[in-house]
Amino acid sequence: MSATPHKNRVARRILATAAGLATVGAMVAALPAGADDRGKPAGHHPGRTVDVQLLSFNDLHGNLEPPAGSSGQVTRTKPDGTTEKVDAGGVEYLATHLRTARQGNPYSVTAAAGDMIGASPLMSGLFHDEPTVEALNKLRLDVSSVGNHEFDEGARELARVQDGGCHPTGGCFEEGKTFPGAAFPYLAANVTNEKTGRPILDPYFIWERKGVRIGFIGVTLEGTPNIVTAEGVKGLKFGDEVETIDKYTKVLERKGVKSIVALIHEGGAPASSSYNYDCDSPGAGDGISGPVVDIAKRLNPQVDALVTGHTHQAYVCTVPDPSGKPRMVTSAASYGKLYTDTTLTYDRRTKDIVRTSVESANHVVSRDVPKAADMTSLIQRWNALAAPIANRPQGFISADINGRGSSEYEKPLGDLITDAQLAGLAPADKGGAQIALMNPGGIRSDLVYKASGAEGDGVVTYGEAFTVQPFTNMMNVVDLTGAQLIAALQQQVSGSNEASPKILQVSRGFTYTLDMTKAGAARVVADSVRLNGAPIDPAKSYRVAMNEFLAGGGDGFPALAQGKNKLVGASDLDVFNAYLAANSSAAAPIAPPKADRITVVK
């Protein structure tokens, strides 16, 4: 497949999905098999090598406008060792940075590692992320893996995102225009139809320019069904990342493609939050942990580089492959705040990447460059369509209330959201809730005091509230025993969540101690769990409010799926907005909560 995806959509087709999609066409056409051996070249060979520029990013989540507050900042370590926060992001600036980076690089390919859409601010989310796909087309994105959020609306909608067409219920959002779909291939090598066993999208993409060929294999994390609503992944099977990439590496090799990049929507956690932290100090990959490290250590040595995502962290590391050789593993934080520039030296004789020559660095999408005019126009166009809904005032705050931008386990915005859920669902006819729980991953932004438009400082608009909670999950109230509640708290820091804890946000009156000096479930001090000062009784039943995703056991909380006597309430966003309206005014705005419900021992 050539590097001009706009002209080559015919070469990409969605395969049959469990959602009932028809099979339409074939995958990337086969390339001639190469006769070269599989050995890696030992060094750079001037005259027969070409430097390929790989630009990459991940987890954009429809953030076309600069993310607000701390969600729109990255941390930089200065030469003297101190750190500073830098404002970053916004597709008008991302476009300028990428276009500038490409200048003077005839061999340049742009790739993404998933979650381009889903959990998006209102301007994109209201229109089922058509604005974001349009922006990515204009950015000249060549290829992306799917991420878990690409499945938020199910396989059928993902197929529409790829191939185009108007939304089945929303219709065409702009008069006289039909959504063209993504001009780049979404890759889903490890997502198969349960009935046919075939990938629901292309598993790989071959980028070609003047005889240089690089294969891209795209996967999402195997655990996607645990973090997406059941409806979104119905009829789909998610395979092991390493096994899948190894399988398609062999397929690409048979087609004569020996330069291979894996796009993996799974990630790691560097020891520092600074984007320019050296995670190879003191040794290769020593400063990074998490699932992607295990993947990188097991993945076929023929894969030359890993572009990763999901954890919203920034890192450029070399992790040893199974043969012990260093291999580049990168991630560019989230929300378009960074992009990664990697140099892949391609040897025309071996058709492979000279691994010893691979260089990479993350760059800030700073806001001190000219805005890309085509992106400004795109944002203005879609904002005009969203404005009647987006600009409605919902309530008032006295200062920034940090959610996504907070690095603490308990977030001030988490306290506010759970208090809103408790207030909305405590009345007997609304469920009789005594406690409310919120998954931290469902909080997508901060509430920022500074006005985003003409509404005035401290005014929370519908668009801003939607950006915080974009999933429109219905609220559930269920009976859980005290023992089940404590088990759920233990699941925050054990099982699938042990390596990367998911600390639930809790409503007022619910308190406990989290001892992070211990391991696994023992981190939750069981006899410290209290409701309004009284110890939780393991045998007693409590009414607990949470969104339907958590109530289904999502995010690794099977204990929460054991709830009985379920009552379904309003959506999380409606409950939140109702609380803002009832509990704030211009004269008496809501102040940031103290975030003092969970005592953390470190």
Side-chain angles (χ1 to χ4, degrees):
M1 185 176 288
S2 82
T4 52
H6 289 267
K7 300 177 182 177
N8 287 275
R9 183 166 299 169
V10 70
R12 305 189 314 275
R13 288 294 183 263
I14 312 289
L15 302 179
T17 74
L21 301 171
T23 302
V24 279
M27 297 191 299
V28 181
L31 293 171
D36 300 309
D37 61 43
R38 291 182 57 185
K40 294 285 181 185
H44 198 111
H45 299 278
R48 79 176 197 218
T49 60
V50 170
D51 281 347
V52 177
Q53 178 189 57
L54 171 60
L55 301 175
S56 57
F57 55 98
N58 51 277
D59 296 275
L60 180 64
H61 290 290
N63 278 263
L64 301 183
E65 296 180 286
S70 56
S71 296
Q73 294 180 323
V74 293
T75 301
R76 170 194 287 148
T77 298
K78 296 189 290 187
D80 64 2
T82 60
T83 61
E84 63 178 346
K85 296 281 190 180
V86 182
D87 290 338
V91 76
E92 295 162 294
Y93 306 109
L94 177 61
T96 298
H97 281 282
L98 291 179
R99 289 163 184 172
T100 301
R102 290 178 186 134
Q103 291 174 9
N105 289 284
Y107 297 88
S108 183
V109 56
T110 304
D115 278 8
M116 295 295 97
I117 59 175
S120 303
L122 186 73
M123 190 193 79
S124 187
L126 189 62
F127 305 107
H128 300 275
D129 281 312
E130 289 183 18
T132 296
V133 174
E134 181 186 342
L136 293 171
N137 290 346
K138 290 179 182 293
L139 280 178
R140 279 181 38 216
L141 181 63
D142 289 295
V143 59
S144 179
S145 68
V146 294
N148 53 289
H149 282 284
E150 263 78 20
F151 294 92
D152 283 350
E153 296 188 50
R156 190 184 293 272
E157 171 63 4
L158 178 55
R160 186 187 76 89
V161 167
Q162 177 71 90
D163 272 4
C166 296
H167 191 268
T169 57
C172 295
F173 298 115
E174 293 185 291
E175 191 173 345
K177 291 184 181 179
T178 299
F179 174 56
F184 55 92
Y186 259 124
L187 305 183
N190 68 331
V191 187
T192 54
N193 180 316
E194 280 184 342
K195 293 180 180 177
T196 67
R198 300 179 70 185
I200 65 163
L201 295 168
D202 289 350
Y204 61 84
F205 165 78
I206 300 168
W207 178 88
E208 179 183 352
R209 183 158 297 170
K210 297 179 182 177
V212 175
R213 293 177 180 143
I214 297 178
F216 291 85
I217 302 168
V219 298
T220 185
L221 71 155
E222 184 181 9
T224 291
N226 300 326
I227 51 176
V228 174
T229 60
E231 192 62 31
V233 294
K234 189 175 181 180
L236 304 179
K237 183 178 179 181
F238 292 77
D240 179 84
E241 303 95 337
V242 173
E243 290 175 9
T244 302
I245 294 170
D246 285 355
K247 171 185 175 179
Y248 286 105
T249 295
K250 293 180 176 67
V251 171
L252 287 169
E253 285 184 288
R254 289 197 295 269
K255 295 179 181 296
V257 179
K258 298 191 176 184
S259 298
I260 297 170
V261 175
L263 306 176
I264 306 174
H265 191 71
E266 178 61 289
S272 167
S273 60
S274 293
Y275 80 87
N276 57 344
Y277 164 68
D278 180 9
C279 55
D280 279 349
S281 178
D286 283 351
I288 186 172
S289 60
V292 80
V293 178
D294 176 61
I295 291 171
K297 287 180 176 177
R298 294 165 51 215
L299 203 56
N300 191 320
Q302 191 64 32
V303 176
D304 297 293
L306 283 65
V307 176
T308 71
H310 186 56
T311 57
H312 290 206
Q313 302 296 310
Y315 47 84
V316 173
C317 301
T318 54
V319 176
D321 69 15
S323 68
K325 295 179 181 176
R327 175 168 52 193
M328 194 63 70
V329 180
T330 70
S331 175
S334 64
Y335 297 178
K337 293 180 288 189
L338 299 174
Y339 72 92
T340 313
D341 190 336
T342 303
T343 300
L344 301 173
T345 301
Y346 181 92
D347 188 312
R348 287 187 180 274
R349 184 183 70 80
T350 65
K351 302 180 183 177
D352 214 339
I353 299 300
V354 184
R355 283 263 293 274
T356 54
S357 299
V358 175
E359 296 179 351
S360 186
N362 274 328
H363 300 277
V364 180
V365 177
S366 60
R367 301 176 192 170
D368 58 359
V369 298
K371 294 180 179 181
D374 57 338
M375 295 301 176
T376 301
S377 175
L378 180 154
I379 288 169
Q380 289 173 343
R381 211 177 79 238
W382 288 103
N383 261 339
L385 288 175
I389 295 173
N391 295 339
R392 290 180 198 155
Q394 304 297 312
F396 301 84
I397 57 175
S398 64
D400 289 359
I401 303 180
N402 285 348
R404 196 73 181 187
S406 169
S407 59
E408 301 300 321
Y409 285 138
E410 183 183 353
K411 305 173 190 307
L413 189 49
D415 286 5
L416 179 59
I417 288 170
T418 50
D419 286 352
Q421 293 175 350
L422 180 62
L425 299 162
D429 63 335
K430 302 294 185 185
Q434 299 164 275
I435 302 164
L437 304 174
M438 175 67 185
N439 54 311
I443 304 171
R444 306 306 300 185
S445 184
D446 302 335
L447 275 185
V448 178
Y449 178 77
K450 185 179 179 181
S452 59
E455 75 276 10
D457 290 348
V459 179
V460 179
T461 66
Y462 185 90
E464 290 165 344
F466 182 97
T467 297
V468 168
Q469 293 193 98
F471 300 109
T472 318
N473 266 308
M474 303 311 289
M475 291 302 302
N476 290 183
V477 186
V478 298
D479 285 342
L480 287 173
T481 65
Q484 289 168 334
L485 257 177
I486 292 169
L489 295 181
Q490 291 170 335
Q491 286 162 2
Q492 300 175 114
V493 288
S494 63
S496 61
N497 292 330
E498 181 162 7
S500 182
K502 289 190 175 76
I503 306 303
L504 297 167
Q505 307 299 287
V506 298
S507 54
R508 63 164 58 98
F510 191 76
T511 58
Y512 70 98
T513 297
L514 195 61
D515 187 348
M516 297 306 289
T517 66
K518 296 181 178 172
R523 290 168 167 171
V524 174
V525 181
D527 60 6
S528 72
V529 185
R530 285 172 164 70
L531 178 60
N532 299 322
I536 289 289
D537 183 344
K540 187 178 175 182
S541 181
Y542 297 86
R543 292 292 283 168
V544 184
M546 67 193 91
N547 60 50
E548 61 186 344
F549 172 67
L550 271 183
D555 266 354
F557 291 99
L560 298 181
Q562 297 170 0
K564 300 284 197 318
N565 300 320
K566 179 170 73 173
L567 183 144
V568 178
S571 76
D572 52 5
L573 181 59
D574 286 347
V575 168
F576 186 56
N577 284 333
Y579 183 83
L580 292 176
N583 292 276
S584 69
S585 65
I590 292 173
K594 293 179 181 178
D596 57 359
R597 299 163 191 181
I598 305 171
T599 301
V600 181
V601 179
K602 295 182 180 179

